[in-house]
Amino acid sequence: MRAAVLKEYRKPLAIEEVPDPEVPRDGVVLKVIACGVCRSDWHGWVGEHPRVKPGQIGGHEYCGEVIAAGPDALYKRGDKLVAPFILSCGTCPQCRSGASNTCLDQRLPGFVEPGAFAEYVAVPRDHNLARLPEGLSPTVAAGLGCRVTTSWHALTDRAALKAGEWLAVHGTGGIGLSAAILGRAMGAHVVVVDVVQEKLDHALSLGIDAAVLADEDTGARIKEITGGGAHVSVEALGIPATVNASLQCLRPLGRHVQVGLPTGHTARMEVDMSAVYQGNLAMFGTRGMPAWRYPSLLSLITSGKVDMAPMIAREVGLSDVSAELAAFDGPTPPGVAIVTDFSR
């Protein structure tokens, strides 16, 4: 099969012919229909993700059709499925408690084992997968990937966002834009923050209530817009400036949700703990979404209550992934890229 292989950090991925994946006993092999390009892939490409090593095939936001199934698999040939990026064991204490995104024995295609920047991907533990609903585009389904699922879990479970509350979103890349769109669909008032005016304009065109071009007064400006501060603030980049702006924009008893991945040189940072102390703030971490929550997210989309299609900016070929990863080095244009052509 054709695959995009990491040979050296920060170098173009090599498009190579590699062996087809073996069929997992408890899972399936998917013919990849679509795979998102995510900032988490960029963290691996630049060498900041501790688990991604040269030789890795990336790609963890995928949708595909089953072409082979193991003897213990739940699904069969022809099934079209969408996958979370965390494949949980289903039996550890975390999984049994319903928090499978914190599984003690995770499988991670695209990070530790071969991912979906390829024509085919092996997916063990297929109990984590969900059927692609009728009428939902595989391209949009792949775009849900880690960005929409993580945002959904962050807003509904970690922050418990309520209708009528103010939600601030710092960074309007894939995961930030997802949080903004979902927050609006949940009945919240939403203000977005970015350093790129084009991305703010794009968010406003989708019905987002307010936008702030980031500067040193971001927190104060959001407090003015929201009449005292956001109830919930999502940090979607994982860097000190936006983490602190997120804390500083909250009203008393506000909830900060750390969605952006702090890794490499940002894994440890100075945080305005005075804002936390003075404001009686709550700080939540979040990563991924328990697989059993897929139906709640998919039903929201298929019912027409929220349209995630505007999040998809462009469809690209497998050979274009390197350029998409390199683009994360600077401010990116609105929307996300999805690989849909694996022949070029």
Side-chain angles (χ1 to χ4, degrees):
M1 68 175 183
R2 296 180 82 245
V5 184
L6 174 68
K7 295 295 189 181
E8 295 181 62
Y9 298 126
R10 286 196 170 278
K11 299 293 185 182
L13 303 178
I15 305 299
E16 297 183 347
E17 292 287 332
V18 303
D20 291 346
E22 296 184 4
V23 185
R25 182 175 184 84
D26 60 349
V28 297
V29 172
L30 299 179
K31 177 179 175 59
V32 184
I33 302 172
C35 182
V37 183
C38 174
R39 182 172 287 273
S40 296
D41 296 309
W42 174 83
H43 283 296
W45 180 71
V46 301
E48 289 188 347
H49 198 296
R51 295 177 176 177
V52 177
K53 307 298 182 185
Q56 178 65 40
I57 299 172
H60 59 282
E61 302 183 322
Y62 53 94
C63 178
E65 180 176 340
V66 177
I67 61 164
D72 297 333
L74 294 177
Y75 295 102
K76 63 183 186 303
R77 283 179 61 94
D79 288 340
K80 291 184 178 179
L81 307 172
V82 59
F85 74 94
I86 298 171
L87 303 176
S88 66
C89 70
T91 59
C92 72
Q94 299 302 109
C95 289
R96 291 199 302 271
S97 73
S100 60
N101 59 317
T102 63
C103 174
L104 300 176
D105 180 26
Q106 301 175 11
R107 300 285 295 272
L108 300 167
F111 296 106
V112 177
E113 46 206 308
F117 289 155
E119 291 181 288
Y120 307 101
V121 62
V123 189
R125 301 175 173 177
D126 71 337
H127 63 268
N128 290 279
L129 278 64
R131 291 187 186 276
L132 178 71
E134 288 289 334
L136 180 61
S137 157
T139 303
V140 174
L144 302 181
C146 76
R147 58 179 66 90
V148 180
T149 57
T150 297
S151 294
W152 179 242
H153 187 60
L155 296 178
T156 58
D157 183 88
R158 304 300 285 153
L161 180 69
K162 302 178 182 66
E165 289 189 318
W166 272 100
L167 167 68
V169 179
H170 299 259
T172 57
I175 201 161
L177 186 60
S178 300
I181 293 171
L182 290 170
R184 196 76 180 90
M186 292 170 65
H189 309 293
V190 182
V191 53
V192 294
V193 183
D194 208 288
V195 296
V196 180
Q197 186 62 50
E198 181 186 6
K199 293 168 81 170
L200 297 177
D201 293 340
H202 179 245
L204 291 171
S205 75
L206 300 178
I208 301 307
D209 298 276
V212 172
L213 194 63
D215 60 22
E216 63 275 9
D217 295 323
T218 294
R221 293 171 66 193
I222 291 175
K223 285 186 172 180
E224 182 179 357
I225 290 169
T226 60
H231 298 84
V232 173
S233 186
V234 165
E235 197 284 341
L237 284 170
I239 61 175
T242 44
V243 169
N244 286 300
S246 175
L247 293 170
Q248 292 159 4
C249 81
L250 287 165
R251 68 181 60 207
L253 301 178
R255 291 102 75 194
H256 164 93
V257 190
Q258 189 58 44
V259 175
L261 172 63
T263 189
H265 67 281
T266 64
R268 295 177 181 271
M269 65 180 76
E270 290 190 9
V271 174
D272 186 354
M273 291 303 293
S274 176
V276 177
Y277 174 78
Q278 297 290 346
N280 288 246
L281 305 181
M283 298 178 67
F284 295 96
T286 194
R287 173 176 172 265
M289 178 187 78
W292 63 266
R293 302 206 65 224
Y294 252 116
S296 67
L297 174 59
L298 294 174
S299 65
L300 186 75
I301 297 169
T302 56
S303 68
K305 293 180 180 177
V306 62
D307 182 10
M308 302 307 300
M311 182 182 65
I312 310 300
R314 55 202 170 276
E315 298 182 28
V316 302
L318 189 62
S319 61
D320 299 318
V321 172
S322 297
E324 293 292 341
L325 292 173
F328 284 115
D329 279 334
T332 56
V336 300
I338 308 293
V339 182
T340 55
D341 186 346
F342 295 85
S343 65
R344 64 175 179 87

